[in-house]
Amino acid sequence: MAPTPPGPRTTAIAATLALALAATTACAPGDPAGVTDDTVTVGMLHSLSGTMAISEVTVRDAVELAIDEINADGGVLGRQIEPVIEDGASDEATFADRANKLLNDDNAVTVFGGWTSASRKAMLPVFERNNGLLWYPVQYEGLESSPNIVYTGATTNQQIIPALDYLREQGHTSLYLVGSDYVFPRTANQIITAYADAHDMEIIAEEYTPLGHTEYSTITNDIARTEPDAVFNTLNGDSNVSFFQQLRSAGVTPDDSPVLSVSVAEEEIEGIGPDNIAGHLTAWNYYQTTETDTNTGFVQAFTDTYGADRVTSDPMQSAYNAVHLWKAAVEEADSFEVDDVRAALDGTTIDAPEGTITIDGDTQHVIKTARIGQITDTGLIDEIWASPEPITPDPYLTGYDWAADLTG
Amino acid sequence: MDALIGQLPVGLSIGAVLLLAALGLNFTFGQMGVINMAHGELIMIGAYTAYVLHAWIGLNPAYSLLIALPTAFAVTGTLGWLLELGLIRHFYGRPLDTLLLTFGIGMILQQAARDTFGAPNVDVPAPAWLTGGLTLTDNIRIHYSRLFILALAILCVVAIAYHLNRSRAGRQMRAVIHNRDLAATTGINTRKVDATTFFIGSGLAGIAGVALTLIGPTGPTLGTNYIVDAFLVVVIGGLGQLRGTILAALALGLLNATVEAWADASLAKLIVFAAIVAFLQARPQGLLTVKTRALT
């Protein structure tokens, strides 16, 4: 294109730009970059491509829903939230790189993101170095508490230990452990083994398979033969489909040996086939069927926005909560500054779809209720047990004597 | 010992799955030498054919699987034939380019499946007569779905053997593999033979896909779960050798199952791969080789 003398349109654009620049510089003293008089920039960092996209896209949808709701309601401290969306591409190095970009180039005041523990571990040093604030929405293996991360999913004492308590209450004392071969299942099974030792429970076997494994005949036949009281399942992703199909073929019913899964949520059941998994158990803090007024509204809003065939799950709900918790903390602090927001975190509470939840300032985890659910033949999960009261997060399991050896 | 015998049907069924996944590759890779990285995606499309018949067209699960088998053969066969006609034949003799080309096609097909059917896995219900299994002894259990796959694999092998050895088209195919130029001079239309071979190889991928819905997830990345194993089976068996492919699939299946009897699945996979590496060091041409007088 040949250079042309500035016409009226170019001048208008230049004027708008100048005004926009003026607006950026005119914000109140003390506000971090990324905050203007009427907008605030936040980052969203999930895998929108690659193997994890299948799960993380649902979480992104939930975060966007929360942002839209808040914006429609007047925003945060009078500012409209403007999300910058980045793709972690199911790759740890990309997560670290994009996190750096969000904090330094886009001036995001906070970031909602991550799913796998590997992605969180990769982002952690970036957030600590830049004093950023990451909201991490998925249940995980514990043993972490960074001042620059807020963990809105469950740690082990809010999911795995209550699940063990439940199984013990039901008189299930012999367990068969099966999991994918990486950090979460291995850590979870260490905790389960220590719990079993301390409570007179028997671990019949501890089996690991590579991620994406599809041949479960050996394991399912072994389960049929050893007849454990229950199976504790920490398999992740597609492997669950093969596992449950083959378990059914091996003739194991939920009445013989119920399988309690900690990584199977509403989103995965359709692919596994409700026929194959109905009657088995899950441990989470939220189900689509959880009966609270907030949840009715959440499920309604979600299906209105994304389609009636979509389901809501625990990680999605935790991600949705993260945005609302952040808003509450910012309003409490009356500032977008990370240090101010962190100081206001302790005791921040909202009425979430899973019930009233509160941030525990010491650990920056969320105090929440544990729930055991049973999968129905329509593909949803019915709650059959809940912890008597919300459980205070204990990521290092310091409150459990039997866990002393685990955490050193 | 009893536990080891119990692993025998498990090993056979793993072998049958590997064999089904590799049979098609035995044609396109083994016989024609085309490194078709999109073979896994053809398997995936076969699986989705079963899904479409059940979920979109609404066939009764009791027999939709049986209808899906020939349908998938036709669908993926035609797709493979079109690929050969439109793209792959222009790349004959350029294996690296073919690899990249078909890898790209595979990614396009994967994304197309994701856009059409969504990223999450879909449910293809097994017919009621294939759920459950036989319990022979405490240690020996045979799943009906596995028996079905074994029977299907045997059926495919018999059909292929009949085609290769008894039919005119099959004999022409073998002639082209043994010596393309000589075959051409006897009047065989090698272009037509190539197209047919690709059609059959791709169609077999579709059949494998339908069978895999019985034992695993049906999703856009289904093919990537099996493509490496399928190539391994063909390479170990010896290129272009149906018998070699069968032997290799069964050997791998049995080895996997026996190792898994005393080590966990992660370790079993590692040991099996190590064994494959050692085997190919000693015998790079695979179990069986084509005896040919061609000057290659």
Side-chain angles (χ1 to χ4, degrees):
Chain A
M1 209 168 90
T4 46
R9 222 171 115 221
T10 333
T11 327
I13 293 172
T16 323
L17 266 177
L19 275 175
L21 276 174
T24 331
T25 44
C27 62
D31 270 347
V35 184
T36 71
D37 272 352
D38 35 45
T39 64
V40 52
T41 306
V42 304
M44 287 170 60
L45 180 47
H46 298 101
S47 297
L48 309 181
S49 58
T51 172
M52 289 309 298
I54 179 173
S55 306
E56 293 190 50
V57 165
T58 67
V59 166
R60 178 207 56 188
D61 291 346
V63 171
E64 282 190 328
L65 176 66
I67 290 177
D68 289 346
E69 283 177 2
I70 292 171
N71 281 344
D73 205 31
V76 183
L77 295 182
R79 271 93 165 174
Q80 290 286 300
I81 305 173
E82 290 198 337
V84 178
I85 302 174
E86 285 291 342
D87 179 6
S90 311
D91 172 62
E92 292 98 76
T94 309
F95 266 100
D97 178 62
R98 300 288 98 178
N100 204 11
K101 172 191 173 279
L102 284 171
L103 292 177
N104 290 316
D105 298 350
D106 300 317
N107 295 317
V109 297
T110 193
V111 175
F112 303 95
W115 179 294
T116 64
S117 287
S119 72
R120 189 190 67 253
K121 296 269 188 211
M123 290 189 285
L124 187 145
V126 178
F127 280 89
E128 293 193 341
R129 200 161 53 236
N130 295 291
N131 194 25
L133 191 61
L134 171 70
W135 297 76
Y136 175 74
V138 182
Q139 46 79 231
Y140 79 115
E141 68 280 358
L143 307 179
E144 196 180 288
S145 173
S146 163
N148 296 89
I149 301 181
V150 185
Y151 308 78
T152 61
T155 178
T156 46
N157 79 313
Q158 298 169 308
Q159 183 190 27
I160 290 171
I161 294 173
L164 290 165
D165 288 340
Y166 168 79
L167 291 176
R168 202 159 55 93
E169 266 181 42
Q170 298 294 310
H172 298 321
T173 54
S174 65
L175 299 181
Y176 194 106
L177 311 183
V178 49
S180 296
D181 206 351
Y182 75 104
V183 56
F184 171 70
R186 288 215 177 245
T187 313
N189 284 345
Q190 274 179 12
I191 294 170
I192 294 168
T193 309
Y195 181 99
D197 284 349
H199 295 90
D200 265 344
M201 291 166 83
E202 183 197 0
I203 303 293
I204 292 180
E206 183 175 342
E207 293 286 344
Y208 296 98
T209 64
L211 278 166
H213 195 66
T214 51
E215 283 295 346
Y216 284 91
S217 301
T218 305
I219 290 174
T220 54
N221 285 351
D222 201 34
I223 291 172
R225 189 174 54 83
T226 53
E227 296 177 346
D229 289 348
V231 179
F232 206 104
N233 168 24
T234 44
L235 291 172
N236 252 258
D238 286 355
S239 293
N240 278 304
V241 182
S242 305
F243 175 71
F244 280 103
Q245 278 179 348
Q246 292 167 33
L247 188 70
R248 187 170 172 224
S249 289
V252 179
T253 66
D255 292 334
D256 306 330
S257 301
V259 178
L260 191 146
S261 310
V262 290
S263 300
V264 173
E266 285 86 345
E267 196 67 34
E268 284 83 27
I269 293 174
E270 175 60 28
I272 295 172
D275 286 352
N276 293 317
I277 196 175
H280 288 295
L281 308 173
T282 59
W284 291 103
N285 307 89
Y286 163 85
Y287 299 109
Q288 183 169 336
T289 56
T290 299
E291 284 173 9
T292 63
D293 290 343
T294 321
N295 189 35
T296 316
F298 171 59
V299 173
Q300 187 68 46
F302 192 86
T303 48
D304 283 353
T305 312
Y306 298 106
D309 55 335
R310 292 287 298 270
V311 291
T312 58
S313 68
D314 183 292
M316 289 156 72
Q317 188 252 178
S318 296
Y320 172 86
N321 292 347
V323 188
H324 286 283
L325 284 168
W326 169 73
K327 172 179 186 273
V330 165
E331 284 172 349
E332 169 71 24
D334 195 25
S335 159
F336 289 104
E337 204 58 74
V338 168
D339 289 329
D340 298 339
V341 175
R342 186 189 297 116
L345 284 177
D346 188 33
T348 296
T349 183
I350 60 166
D351 279 327
E354 66 178 277
T356 303
I357 57 171
T358 312
I359 296 180
D360 171 56
D362 291 340
T363 58
Q364 296 193 179
H365 285 59
V366 170
I367 301 169
K368 48 168 65 195
T369 305
R371 295 186 163 87
I372 304 297
Q374 187 167 37
I375 296 162
T376 67
D377 40 21
T378 56
L380 288 175
I381 306 175
D382 280 345
E383 178 178 323
I384 53 170
W385 181 89
S387 60
E389 53 193 23
I391 302 171
T392 304
D394 185 0
Y396 295 94
L397 300 181
T398 48
Y400 301 85
D401 290 340
W402 51 265
D405 291 344
L406 289 176
T407 51
Chain B
M1 193 58 214
D2 198 24
L4 218 53
I5 296 173
Q7 287 301 87
L8 194 71
V10 175
L12 282 180
S13 73
I14 297 178
V17 171
L18 289 174
L19 182 58
L20 266 183
L23 270 180
L25 263 192
N26 177 58
F27 278 83
T28 56
F29 177 54
Q31 317 237 6
M32 295 174 67
V34 173
I35 302 182
N36 182 12
M37 295 302 284
H39 191 79
E41 277 57 50
L42 294 173
I43 294 179
M44 176 266 293
I45 290 170
Y48 273 113
T49 308
Y51 171 72
V52 167
L53 285 183
H54 156 71
W56 292 9
I57 299 181
L59 293 185
N60 188 331
Y63 55 81
S64 82
L65 187 79
L66 297 179
I67 296 176
L69 287 170
T71 316
F73 182 82
V75 169
T76 57
T78 309
L79 193 65
W81 176 70
L82 286 174
L83 281 180
E84 201 270 348
L85 194 70
L87 290 167
I88 294 173
R89 76 186 163 109
H90 302 296
F91 290 79
Y92 282 155
R94 291 154 63 191
L96 269 182
D97 297 336
T98 315
L99 188 146
L100 284 177
L101 171 81
T102 51
F103 191 70
I105 294 171
M107 287 167 78
I108 293 173
L109 292 177
Q110 252 184 51
Q111 191 56 43
R114 203 170 281 130
D115 289 343
T116 316
F117 302 101
N121 294 320
V122 296
D123 178 30
V124 183
W129 44 274
L130 278 183
T131 55
L134 289 169
T135 305
L136 299 180
T137 75
D138 235 15
N139 279 310
I140 308 177
R141 273 162 233 277
I142 302 174
H143 306 173
Y144 292 138
S145 53
R146 298 301 188 137
L147 270 183
F148 179 79
I149 289 174
L150 192 62
L152 185 65
I154 293 172
L155 189 72
C156 286
V157 165
V158 170
I160 292 167
Y162 180 84
H163 174 74
L164 284 178
N165 297 319
R166 294 275 180 271
S167 79
R168 187 179 169 80
R171 284 201 296 265
Q172 288 186 348
M173 197 183 286
R174 280 164 56 218
V176 172
I177 300 158
H178 280 249
N179 192 322
R180 178 172 289 268
D181 296 336
L182 197 58
T185 57
T186 62
I188 295 174
N189 181 347
T190 55
R191 264 304 303 140
K192 207 176 131 198
V193 171
D194 286 343
T196 319
T197 311
F198 220 88
F199 175 83
I200 297 177
S202 305
L204 286 169
I207 290 188
V210 175
L212 290 177
T213 61
L214 290 173
I215 55 158
T218 306
T221 54
L222 178 146
T224 48
N225 293 343
Y226 293 95
I227 187 75
V228 173
D229 287 343
F231 268 106
L232 280 180
V233 167
V234 176
V235 170
I236 294 169
L239 296 189
Q241 288 291 331
L242 182 60
R243 258 179 309 163
T245 304
I246 299 168
L247 283 177
L250 292 182
L252 276 186
L254 288 172
L255 183 65
N256 228 315
T258 9
V259 178
E260 225 187 299
W262 53 267
D264 73 23
S266 279
L267 192 58
K269 193 129 197 155
L270 195 122
I271 292 172
V272 170
F273 275 130
I276 291 173
V277 170
F279 173 78
L280 287 178
Q281 288 286 327
R283 213 181 147 73
Q285 70 274 40
L287 282 172
L288 304 174
T289 46
V290 182
K291 292 199 179 57
T292 165
R293 289 169 201 271
L295 301 169
T296 44

